[in-house]
Every structure is written in structure tokens, then in C-alpha cells.
Amino acid sequence: MTFWQQFSAVIARIPDAVTCVFQCVVDLLRDTLSPEARRGVAFTSAMISLSAKMAKADGVVTADEVAVVEKLFQVPPEEKRHVARLFNLAKQDIAGYEYYAKRIRALYETDMETLEDILDGLFVIATADGHLHDDELAFLQTVAAIFRVPEAAFHRIFARHAAGDARCPYAVLGLAPGADDATVKKAWRRLVSEHHPDRVQARGLPADFVRVATERVAAINAAYSAITRQAAA
């Protein structure tokens, strides 16, 4: 079975009415699939569920809600109905997004890298229209607080997704403007190593999500290039 077939097999078993659809997915995964497949399905379900909660929280209405998820994943046409079902169940159930975020944090309690991946993915969706609206930022700040993402890490993620001139290259690298060359180079090397797509895939995240990691490293490299150009000018 492909990853998406495994994902769909789990989603098809979810009852039509649940208090927290993400927790239901986790419960269904306990005795099914390989450990690697469980990690992939859990991660994808977390992303879809929180995306649905963000859409509900900010009042966004989209004609094709699966298209929201496709900002992050390449979903095969034959599996889109299962993605849509999970999205709609998460959007409609009575649990608030804070509850979802707490359940996701509990699953990845000792894996801050994956929690940051989820937050980064939510930023991708929130900024897909070219703007980060106040209600979306408030949602993301609350989720980050529940995930216990360090403030410095949140600011780095925020800086990567800032539009145009608002993107400060030093902030992307987690540095104060004017940091010396050695500090800049050290930060750049560390971040490229930490966020390399191969490392993301090695942690068991779906291969389709690696493109987000690729874009992340591209933003880090672009920030470093911008700083070195400024220094040489």
C-alpha cells in the first residue's frame, strides 16, 4: 500500500461524529501500520486537522478545501475525498483548536522539531494568499505557545514567511541586525543542517512534506546571501 492508501484506510474508519477527530486517528493507529507509517499518518492528520481549525477560526471559506492541504502535500486524486472528510470532520467537531494543539503536543512531547514543522506548515497555508491576517497570526501564536515553541524559533519561522521587504534576513537566521560575519556564517550552517530535507524525511515525515523543508532551506540560503551581499557592498 502507498502512504496515501494507508492514510485513507485509517480515515475511512473514523466515525461520523467524534469529539476530537485527531485523537481518534491516534487511537486507530495504535494497533495498525508500521511505526514509520504511523508517524507519517499522524503527522499528516495533525496538519490537516489544525488547518481545518485555522480555516474555521479565521472565517475563511474555500470552494475546494482539499486545495488548502495541497499547499503542503501532493494528494492523489483518488484519495482526495478522504482528505476532505478529515478536514470537514475536524472543522465541524466541538473541540476547539487549543484542544487539538494540546493533543498534538502530547503526541510529540519530546520532538520539538516536528512541532516546529507543523507550525511551519500552518504558516505556509496562512500566507498562501500573500498575506498573514491578524486573526491567523493570533491563531499561530496560540498554537506555538501550546506547543511550547521557543520564542526565538517562532520569530525565525515568522520571518521566513514575511512578505517582500518585511522579511529581515537577519531574523530568518535568528540574529540581531548587524551580527558579525562569523556569527552569521555559524547560524546559517547550523540552520541548513537542522532543516535539511534529508533530515526531515529521516524523522519519518511524509516524503510529500519534504518540499516544505526544501523551501525552508532555500529561504535560509537566500537570507545568508542577502546578508553577505550587504556586507560586500
Side-chain angles (χ1 to χ4, degrees):
M1 295 175 70
T2 67
F3 166 77
W4 285 106
Q5 288 172 332
Q6 293 172 327
F7 169 87
S8 295
V10 172
I11 302 308
R13 296 172 59 198
I14 299 174
D16 288 334
V18 291
T19 301
C20 176
V21 68
F22 175 73
Q23 187 61 51
C24 182
V25 170
V26 172
D27 292 341
L28 289 171
L29 286 173
R30 284 187 178 135
D31 300 317
T32 61
L33 306 180
S34 66
E36 182 178 357
R38 286 200 297 270
R39 286 193 296 272
V41 172
F43 177 85
T44 303
S45 299
M47 281 296 337
I48 295 171
S49 299
L50 272 181
S51 298
K53 290 300 184 183
M54 184 163 64
K56 182 177 180 179
D58 65 18
V60 172
V61 177
T62 173
D64 184 4
E65 291 168 334
V66 178
V68 174
V69 180
E70 290 180 329
K71 302 294 182 185
L72 300 173
F73 303 106
Q74 295 291 333
V75 184
E78 65 273 16
E79 309 299 344
K80 287 184 178 182
R81 63 189 179 92
H82 297 285
V83 172
R85 181 167 188 262
L86 177 59
F87 190 100
N88 288 324
L89 283 172
K91 191 172 69 171
Q92 295 166 8
D93 73 26
I94 62 174
Y97 75 87
E98 297 93 341
Y99 182 84
Y100 269 66
K102 290 175 182 176
R103 301 280 68 74
I104 292 167
R105 186 197 70 202
L107 182 65
Y108 297 108
E109 189 72 53
T110 61
D111 187 359
M112 182 55 66
E113 288 180 314
T114 296
L115 291 174
E116 290 184 19
D117 284 329
I118 294 171
L119 186 64
D120 200 8
L122 291 173
F123 264 97
V124 171
I125 292 174
T127 57
D129 62 355
H131 301 282
L132 180 62
H133 303 285
D134 289 344
D135 46 7
E136 292 171 326
L137 179 57
F139 177 98
L140 293 165
Q141 288 173 323
T142 301
V143 170
I146 293 171
F147 282 0
R148 298 172 185 162
V149 171
E151 186 175 351
F154 180 86
H155 286 309
R156 284 200 308 272
I157 297 170
F158 176 85
R160 283 202 302 271
H161 295 283
D165 294 339
R167 179 183 291 184
C168 172
Y170 286 96
V172 172
L173 300 185
L175 301 173
D180 63 72
D181 292 348
T183 301
V184 170
K185 182 174 287 188
K186 181 178 180 180
W188 166 64
R189 286 176 172 171
R190 176 178 57 81
L191 290 171
V192 167
S193 175
E194 288 177 357
H195 299 293
H196 194 281
D198 289 347
R199 182 168 178 172
V200 171
Q201 195 162 6
R203 296 205 318 271
L205 271 60
D208 288 340
F209 192 76
V210 171
R211 65 175 179 159
V212 174
T214 301
E215 292 172 3
R216 181 188 307 161
V217 171
I220 292 168
N221 285 331
Y224 177 71
S225 296
I227 293 172
T228 54
R229 285 196 304 269
Q230 290 173 10

